[in-house]
């Protein structure tokens, strides 16, 4: 699946993905720095009913959010992790296998931790305010 969207339409693109892949628990986001991974994950969280303030987990590694129904979801940023051992020490495995929705940025830092049914999302800048999203 490929979705091209303008940043002004990011919430609609996020809702489309949430509807299409509602059964997926672990989503791995690939893309260069500045491609919009964090911004798109925040849009996905809004589509799932999170109303709280969200922020990048670059330094905390894992942020936990709850939607209005009380459902838990995790947003992880593995950029600062050196390898899988460091990821395990940070406790990411507990979140990944919790059964809750997990959105992971920079999954290539610890790919062996990801479950087989992980949804891989590739985000690419196609213009200053345009993005291409591809699901593999």
């Amino acid at each position: 699946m490929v979705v091209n969207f303008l940043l002004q339409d990011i919430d609609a693109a996020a809702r489309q993905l949430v509807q299409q892949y509602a059964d997926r628990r672990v989503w791995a986001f690939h893309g260069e720095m500045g491609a919009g991974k964090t911004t798109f994950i925040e849009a996905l969280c809004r589509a799932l009913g999170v109303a709280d303030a969200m922020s990048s987990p670059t330094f905390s590694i894992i942020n936990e959010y709850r939607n209005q129904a009380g459902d838990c979801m995790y947003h992880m940023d593995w950029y600062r992790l050196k390898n899988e051992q460091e990821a395990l020490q940070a406790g990411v495995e507990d979140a990944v296998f919790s059964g809750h929705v997990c959105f992971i940025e920079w999954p290539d830092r610890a790919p062996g931790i990801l479950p087989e049914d992980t949804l891989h999302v590739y985000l690419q800048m196609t213009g200053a305010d345009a993005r291409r999203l591809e699901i593999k």
Side-chain angles (χ1 to χ4, degrees):
M1 170 185 209
V2 174
V3 177
N4 292 296
F5 63 94
L6 297 174
L7 291 179
Q8 67 192 32
D9 301 323
I10 195 168
D11 287 319
R15 283 191 303 272
Q16 179 183 352
L17 258 62
V18 164
Q19 289 173 353
Q20 180 105 18
Y21 299 102
D23 62 326
R24 293 304 189 75
R25 304 324 289 154
V26 179
W27 301 44
F29 286 82
H30 306 267
E32 62 188 35
M33 188 79 68
K37 295 179 296 294
T38 298
T39 303
F40 195 79
I41 290 170
E42 289 173 352
L44 288 168
C45 289
R46 285 191 299 273
L48 290 167
V50 174
D52 295 334
M54 294 171 272
S55 62
S56 174
T58 301
F59 296 102
S60 62
I61 310 290
I62 304 171
N63 284 350
E64 180 180 323
Y65 306 124
R66 294 205 179 261
N67 64 14
Q68 295 159 339
D71 300 322
C72 176
M73 59 199 71
Y74 295 103
H75 177 189
M76 293 181 262
D77 185 334
W78 294 357
Y79 182 77
R80 293 181 51 233
L81 301 175
K82 292 181 181 83
N83 53 42
E84 288 179 16
Q85 185 62 34
E86 198 170 278
L88 293 171
Q89 290 172 347
V92 302
E93 188 177 38
D94 291 338
V96 169
F97 292 99
S98 67
H100 298 294
V101 172
C102 296
F103 300 119
I104 303 166
E105 297 183 51
W106 303 101
D108 56 318
R109 302 287 199 223
I113 294 174
L114 299 174
E116 283 185 29
D117 64 345
T118 297
L119 184 72
H120 290 272
V121 181
Y122 295 82
L123 197 56
Q124 179 181 28
M125 291 178 65
T126 56
D129 64 346
R131 300 294 184 270
R132 179 179 193 267
L133 187 142
E134 185 173 356
I135 304 292
K136 294 185 180 177

